[in-house]
């Protein structure tokens, strides 16, 4: 059956939503509501905000007098953790499951809203007893275990901010994040399970704490049970602390100003060190709550699984905060998708009756490679909706996901967004006709465009800069301790338009096709890394004088890192040295940052002002035309 969203039929390869999904969708129609949301966004967002609890109502929905430093729900007082837990505990949801968890070895735990609320209150009191106050920043470096969720919510509850460092990061990445946040408390674990092996989180944390001695107390979750070093007077076991009388289950949420700091999350940018993206209680709460409810069409009986890591923005917004704000039942899994066998995910979907699966193209490609027999062995009929995020999804992976996993019954929500945006920006709804590889249309209240160098919209089909033309509630507020960098990075090129750093095309139906990063950010398996971080890790090795990193297309990872190194005088290149350098990058930043290969060169192509021309290295590596090389130094 041919259907249309506008007056004319859609072009290209189009997949229409199944009638049973369409007829039950939380949002029955897009065009009119989208138009209305742009005509009066403040009314739209005020209505959404009113679905949550506020200790004191806001006076103004949006204050743009100090743009680009926007403020939302000005004067309002709330607490996101209160809305995630205490709000539900007062209702029948008290006994609903909030979180179901499975560890990689197969152990399981689950928490009702009541149980999760108690754990969070207890840990909040533990933090308080360690002197953590409103405004402090607690660093969290954990595997994918329930304590990750508990620790984050406990911070929010007492008005402290969290800075979560992904458990796959290593010594230098952790140390520089601790230092930038000036954290006095670190929460970590004795290890985590991945592919049957232990990730030595505490050992890495010890090294990082030695480099950045701001940490006074380190709380250690017992996950693997292995022997680890514990420093007297600094390191404490989580379960010991939770057994003390100070860990009382009574700890009401601190009333927070809508604009008070909720968390910082470090992400890679164009230059230099990772930047601390700042999100606040009010706007972030309203936006993540609404986007999840509308896009993944949450129903009370759903079992929702976001397979990301809480250490990245996807996990912050759509494992921790948005599902709990919606009173949903979430599933969380600790380990690798193919451990011990490539059917691990499919087995868990069947076992727990998962109805919504949200993951990344790299995971889909990785599982697709093992063939259809693994998923086909399992009953996946509980699935209702699928999702993807992190990088453009290639149509081949999209179609496999759609037909083999979703059995052509489950629409795929291809959500485009960023650490900085806090929540989905360009995304289908379950009622949206889909085109494989396109994130489709903007969410309500979001206005996007594709523009040229001058900021003028480009014609349909042409590539240009993806920009966002008005503020939205979950937008980053600033870069932690660096407001200038915030202005330069996001608002300098086009003035009043937010610069995403991505290139995109808009087709004749208004569908957006994101192409990829235009800056020095590389997406490896959907993870965001900066060339600068990899390069500085390389030059921190005594053999390396200078280095450059680029991303080249890779079948499974989307992009893979290739590095070039100029060695110091007297150092001989060898395969062994290349391997040593790769491991060094892994030790400093984390395994995901290890270059695929390292090429030893005598010099790097640079502009006359001394900037490395990564674009040229990339063109040469791909055998493409070198383009404009007029600025190349002789
Ligand atoms: O390039 C875009 C890509 O991921 C970048 C943001 O990375 P990060 O801040 O780590 O957040 C990832 C999870 C929200 C974007 O600038 N990206 C994200 N989602 C998509 C995407 N590219 C294409 N399609 C997507 N659905």
């Amino acid at each position: 059956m041919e259907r249309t969203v506008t007056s004319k039929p859609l072009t290209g390869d189009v997949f229409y939503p199944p009638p049973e999904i369409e007829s039950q969708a939380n949002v029955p129609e897009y065009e009119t509501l989208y138009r209305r949301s742009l005509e009066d966004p403040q009314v739209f967002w005020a209505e959404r905000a009113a679905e949550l609890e506020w200790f004191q109502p806001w006076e103004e929905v949006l204050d743009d007098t100090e743009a680009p430093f926007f403020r939302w729900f000005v004067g309002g007082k709330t607490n996101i953790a209160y809305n995630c837990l205490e709000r539900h505990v007062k209702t029948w949801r008290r006994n609903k499951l909030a979180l179901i968890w499975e560890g990689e070895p197969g152990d399981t735990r689950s928490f009702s809203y009541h149980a999760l609320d108690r754990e969070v209150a207890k840990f909040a009191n533990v933090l308080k007893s360690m002197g953590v106050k409103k405004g402090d920043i607690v660093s969290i470096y954990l595997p994918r275990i329930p304590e990750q969720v508990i620790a984050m919510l406990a911070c929010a509850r007492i008005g402290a901010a969290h800075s979560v460092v992904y458990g796959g990061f290593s010594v230098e990445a952790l140390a520089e994040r601790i230092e930038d946040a000036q954290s006095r408390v670190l929460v970590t674990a004795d290890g985590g399970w991945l592919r049957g092996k232990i990730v030595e989180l505490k050992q890495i944390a010890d090294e990082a704490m030695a480099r950045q001695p701001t940490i006074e107390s380190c709380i250690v979750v017992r996950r693997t049970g292995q022997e680890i070093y514990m420093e007297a007077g600094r390191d404490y076991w989580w379960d010991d602390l939770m057994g003390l009388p100070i860990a009382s289950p009574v700890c009401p949420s601190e009333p927070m100003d809508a604009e008070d700091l909720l968390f910082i999350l470090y992400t890679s940018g164009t230059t230099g060190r990772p930047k601390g993206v700042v999100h606040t209680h009010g706007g972030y709460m309203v936006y993540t709550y609404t986007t999840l409810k509308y896009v993944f069409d949450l129903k009370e009986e759903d079992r929702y699984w976001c397979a990301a890591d809480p250490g990245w923005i996807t996990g912050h917004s759509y494992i921790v905060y948005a599902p709990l704000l919606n009173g949903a039942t979430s599933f969380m899994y600790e380990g690798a998708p193919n451990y011990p066998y490539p059917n691990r995910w499919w087995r868990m979907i069947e076992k727990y009756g998962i109805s919504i699966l949200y993951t990344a193209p790299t995971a889909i490609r990785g599982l697709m490679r093992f063939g259809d027999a693994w998923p086909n062995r399992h009953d996946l009929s509980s699935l209702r909706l699928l999702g993807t995020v992190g990088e453009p999804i290639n149509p081949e992976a999209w179609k496999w996901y759609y037909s083999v996993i979703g059995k052509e019954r489950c629409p795929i929500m291809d959500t485009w967004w960023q650490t900085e945006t806090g929540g989905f920006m360009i995304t289908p709804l379950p009622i949206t006709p889909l085109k494989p590889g396109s994130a489709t249309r903007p969410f309500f209240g979001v206005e996007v465009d594709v523009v040229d160098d001058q900021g003028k919209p480009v014609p349909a089909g042409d590539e240009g800069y993806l920009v966002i033309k008005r503020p939205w509630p979950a937008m980053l507020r600033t870069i932690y301790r660096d407001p200038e960098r915030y202005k330069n990075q996001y608002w300098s090129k086009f003035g009043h338009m937010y610069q995403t750093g991505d290139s995109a095309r808009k087709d004749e139906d208004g569908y957006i096709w994101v192409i990829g990063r235009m800056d020095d950010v590389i997406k490896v398996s959907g993870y965001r890394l900066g060339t600068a971080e990899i390069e500085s890790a390389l030059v921190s090795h005594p053999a390396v004088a200078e280095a450059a990193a680029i991303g080249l297309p890779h079948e499974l990872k989307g992009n893979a890192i290739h590095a070039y190194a100029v060695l110091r005088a007297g150092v001989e290149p060898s395969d062994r040295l290349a391997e040593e350098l790769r491991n060094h990058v892994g030790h400093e930043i984390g395994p995901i940052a290890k270059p695929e290969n390292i090429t030893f060169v005598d010099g790097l192509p640079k502009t006359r002002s001394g900037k490395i021309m990564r674009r040229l290295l990339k063109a040469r590596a791909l055998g493409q035309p070198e383009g404009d090389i007029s600025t190349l130094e002789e």
Side-chain angles (χ1 to χ4, degrees):
M1 186 176 51
E2 178 89 323
R3 269 171 288 168
T4 56
V5 274
T6 52
S7 48
K8 59 181 176 38
L10 295 169
T11 55
D13 202 5
V14 184
F15 291 74
Y16 290 93
E20 63 278 14
I21 296 272
E22 211 173 13
S23 61
Q24 291 174 33
N26 289 345
V27 184
E29 194 271 348
Y30 174 77
E31 297 296 334
T32 320
L33 193 52
Y34 179 67
R35 216 175 313 122
R36 227 184 286 149
S37 76
L38 288 195
E39 278 160 17
D40 208 335
Q42 305 207 19
V43 170
F44 178 82
W45 289 118
E47 283 171 7
R48 306 286 79 72
E51 294 173 26
L52 296 159
E53 264 185 57
W54 295 75
F55 304 133
Q56 182 181 301
W58 57 90
E59 287 145 23
E60 209 183 347
V61 177
L62 171 66
D63 173 7
D64 58 5
T65 49
E66 283 172 48
F69 298 94
F70 298 94
R71 302 194 310 146
W72 285 85
F73 305 104
V74 183
K77 288 211 183 297
T78 186
N79 184 310
I80 193 170
Y82 177 90
N83 276 287
C84 286
L85 296 172
E86 287 146 286
R87 183 169 61 97
H88 302 306
V89 169
K90 294 187 289 185
T91 71
W92 68 269
R93 284 204 190 106
R94 177 183 181 81
N95 296 321
K96 180 176 174 175
L97 283 181
L99 185 64
I100 306 170
W101 174 84
E102 187 168 304
E104 198 187 73
D107 46 338
T108 62
R109 290 160 79 189
S110 56
F111 299 81
S112 64
Y113 273 87
H114 168 70
L116 190 61
D117 181 57
R118 273 178 71 89
E119 292 301 303
V120 169
K122 288 175 69 175
F123 194 63
N125 279 322
V126 167
L127 289 175
K128 272 189 186 169
S129 76
M130 297 199 142
V132 176
K133 302 179 304 301
K134 188 168 168 176
D136 288 349
I137 302 175
V138 174
S139 289
I140 301 176
Y141 180 60
L142 284 173
R144 236 164 4 223
I145 54 176
E147 282 77 4
Q148 166 92 259
V149 180
I150 294 166
M152 289 165 75
L153 290 164
C155 289
R157 189 156 184 152
I158 61 173
H162 51 74
S163 163
V164 177
V165 181
Y166 168 55
F169 275 135
S170 195
V171 181
E172 185 54 26
L174 176 59
E176 68 182 7
R177 285 160 175 76
I178 289 174
E179 195 269 333
D180 193 73
Q182 292 288 302
S183 281
R184 290 186 303 108
V185 175
L186 174 68
V187 185
T188 187
D190 61 355
W193 290 106
L194 193 67
R195 283 183 202 90
K197 295 204 185 77
I198 292 175
V199 182
E200 299 288 349
L201 294 171
K202 180 59 167 51
Q203 205 175 305
I204 295 169
D206 285 337
E207 265 192 72
M209 286 188 279
R211 285 189 201 181
Q212 290 304 341
T214 64
I215 301 293
E216 292 162 14
S217 309
C218 176
I219 303 172
V220 186
V221 179
R222 219 185 288 272
R223 167 65 189 129
T224 62
Q226 64 167 342
E227 280 285 317
I228 53 159
Y229 169 74
M230 293 288 279
E231 187 172 302
R234 185 195 69 185
D235 300 347
Y236 305 89
W237 289 107
W238 169 293
D239 43 3
D240 288 350
L241 296 170
M242 293 288 265
L244 297 175
I246 43 128
S248 130
V250 182
C251 180
S253 283
E254 185 77 23
M256 301 297 286
D257 193 278
E259 283 297 312
D260 275 339
L261 181 59
L262 171 63
F263 65 83
I264 52 181
L265 182 56
Y266 289 89
T267 189
S268 303
T270 305
T271 49
R273 295 151 59 91
K275 46 194 183 184
V277 167
V278 168
H279 285 289
T280 56
H281 273 254
Y284 176 84
M285 169 175 85
V286 174
Y287 195 83
T288 53
Y289 161 78
T290 309
T291 45
L292 187 65
K293 178 172 168 184
Y294 287 10
V295 174
F296 283 106
D297 207 38
L298 283 183
K299 311 281 192 239
E300 231 27 281
E301 61 274 22
D302 269 319
R303 286 214 165 162
Y304 161 86
W305 180 16
C306 169
D309 192 284
W312 299 88
I313 192 67
T314 310
H316 278 58
S317 300
Y318 298 109
I319 293 178
V320 181
Y321 289 111
L324 295 173
L325 287 167
N326 278 284
T329 300
S330 269
F331 174 69
M332 187 171 162
Y333 164 62
E334 177 184 33
N338 55 348
Y339 187 84
Y341 301 109
N343 65 334
R344 180 65 185 263
W345 274 23
W346 320 128
R347 205 178 74 192
M348 292 188 301
I349 288 174
E350 178 174 356
K351 176 175 170 194
Y352 295 104
I354 304 294
S355 54
I356 302 170
L357 173 66
Y358 183 34
T359 182
T362 185
I364 299 164
R365 288 193 295 262
L367 290 166
M368 182 168 92
R369 145 181 87 118
F370 297 111
D372 302 1
W374 291 102
N376 284 347
R377 253 200 238 165
H378 295 274
D379 176 6
L380 304 180
S381 61
S382 58
L383 287 172
R384 189 165 70 78
L385 282 174
L386 301 172
T388 166
V389 60
E391 57 178 320
I393 181 163
N394 45 313
E396 196 199 353
W398 194 99
K399 286 182 183 157
W400 185 81
Y401 197 27
Y402 187 73
S403 56
V404 179
I405 305 307
K407 315 289 181 212
E408 301 179 7
R409 291 184 299 103
C410 310
I412 298 176
M413 303 297 106
D414 180 349
T415 60
W416 177 91
W417 57 296
Q418 307 179 300
T419 307
E420 293 88 340
T421 71
F424 311 149
M425 298 298 281
I426 306 173
T427 173
L429 299 171
I431 54 162
T432 309
L434 304 172
K435 301 188 187 187
S438 168
T440 76
R441 312 276 305 272
F443 190 72
F444 301 116
V446 174
E447 196 186 356
V448 302
D449 213 340
V450 180
V451 302
D452 65 16
D453 241 338
Q454 263 62 55
K456 289 211 193 64
V458 300
D462 283 7
E463 183 175 342
Y465 298 88
L466 180 66
V467 294
I468 303 169
K469 295 173 97 168
R470 54 170 87 198
W472 65 100
M475 65 193 303
L476 80 162
R477 297 304 193 261
T478 188
I479 299 291
Y480 188 62
R481 296 200 310 186
D482 202 348
E484 276 309 305
R485 194 165 172 200
Y486 166 72
K487 281 203 277 189
N488 291 338
Q489 180 96 42
Y490 304 106
W491 303 95
S492 60
K493 191 167 174 71
F494 305 113
H496 57 284
M497 294 192 280
Y498 169 91
Q499 192 184 323
T500 64
D502 279 8
S503 66
R505 283 184 294 115
K506 202 191 236 184
D507 71 15
E508 52 201 277
D509 300 319
Y511 277 51
I512 307 282
W513 299 75
V514 174
I515 298 165
R517 300 291 308 191
M518 293 181 111
D519 51 11
D520 293 326
V521 168
I522 309 177
K523 293 293 275 201
V524 181
S525 300
Y527 295 128
R528 180 164 161 181
L529 294 166
T531 53
E533 293 159 80
I534 300 156
E535 290 160 7
S536 59
L538 279 168
V539 297
S540 73
H541 189 282
V544 180
E546 238 188 330
I550 57 168
L552 295 178
H554 185 280
E555 212 182 317
L556 286 180
K557 301 177 180 173
N559 295 287
I561 298 164
H562 291 251
Y564 298 82
V566 181
L567 296 177
R568 283 180 191 274
V571 182
E572 285 301 314
S574 67
D575 288 351
R576 238 188 63 206
L577 179 60
E579 193 50 26
E580 188 180 319
L581 294 178
R582 291 181 64 245
N583 290 334
H584 178 69
V585 176
H587 180 262
E588 292 297 300
I589 310 179
I592 44 164
K594 270 192 186 181
E596 208 71 0
N597 60 46
I598 294 180
T599 310
F600 297 111
V601 290
D602 293 332
L604 295 167
K606 289 189 189 155
T607 62
R608 267 176 235 118
S609 57
K611 277 207 231 155
I612 297 171
M613 292 180 80
R614 296 186 191 82
R615 178 182 59 77
L616 188 59
L617 285 171
K618 197 166 165 173
R620 285 179 184 165
L622 294 171
Q624 287 171 348
E626 297 196 344
D628 178 12
I629 51 167
S630 57
T631 57
L632 185 66
E633 183 191 45
E634 286 308 314

